[in-house]
Amino acid sequence: NSIQSYIVSNDTENAINYLAKFSQLMRLILTSSREAIIPVSQEISLLKHYLELENMRFRNRFAYEIRVDSKMDVEYMGIPPMIIQPYVENAIIHGFMNKKSGNCNLLIQLWEKENQLMVVVEDNGIGRERAAEIKAQSGLTQKSQGIVITKERLDILNSKMKNKISVEIDDLKDADGNAAGTRVKLFIPFEDL
């Protein structure tokens, strides 16, 4: 849709740029999907490509930052591929799409703690409760496939792993108790590569 939009509006330069970034992301996804474990550095690269595309698609509507603890050796820490991306996608699609005012900010933090990769995906979007209300009002009843598929993947991965991947989701509130975004915490055991 984004590429079509650029073509229809005769924005050839952005169409070419978007297509190039899209093809890079597809190559990374295809390469990663063939592996059971990839370096954290490769997962970060996937996230950066994905975020660049989404930011282009939404006309730079949100700001994002990926913070990686400098003490981590991301080249030699292995995790299953595409574990973080669905939560980033949810933040953008459900958190920011219907946000009417204010800046949209996304923060992804990664650090190591007790042989686990700790990941926080935090947005200042409309929150899960408001997103669910909007979805109900629109008449959509279909459950988000990205999270369903991710949960199924985590169940399969956890059935094979000694140390389990776990996810915690917190609804953020402001001082008045209003929705102020969502924080997802991922605890991912890693393997030394």
Side-chain angles (χ1 to χ4, degrees), residues 2 39 46 54 56 60 77 85 106 117 126 150 159 169 193:
S2 296
L46 278 162
E54 287 294 67
M56 277 184 78
N60 296 314
M77 295 171 67
Q85 185 275 337
L106 178 64
L117 175 66
I126 62 172
T150 300
S159 72
I169 302 175
L193 297 177

Side-chain angles (χ1 to χ4, degrees), residues 65-123:
E65 181 180 0
I66 300 175
R67 293 183 194 159
V68 180
D69 185 345
S70 60
K71 294 178 221 129
M72 286 191 341
D73 193 345
V74 294
E75 295 298 326
Y76 296 100
M77 295 171 67
I79 62 171
M82 300 292 288
I83 294 292
I84 304 167
Q85 185 275 337
Y87 299 100
V88 172
E89 181 177 338
N90 262 16
I92 296 166
I93 303 299
H94 302 293
F96 298 154
M97 277 282 248
N98 293 301
K99 187 171 178 175
K100 302 295 182 210
S101 62
N103 296 331
C104 296
N105 297 304
L106 178 64
L107 174 63
I108 302 165
Q109 300 178 80
L110 299 95
W111 71 96
E112 177 186 349
K113 182 179 177 184
E114 299 171 3
N115 292 327
Q116 287 189 326
L117 175 66
M118 310 297 290
V119 181
V120 170
V121 177
E122 185 173 317
D123 69 73

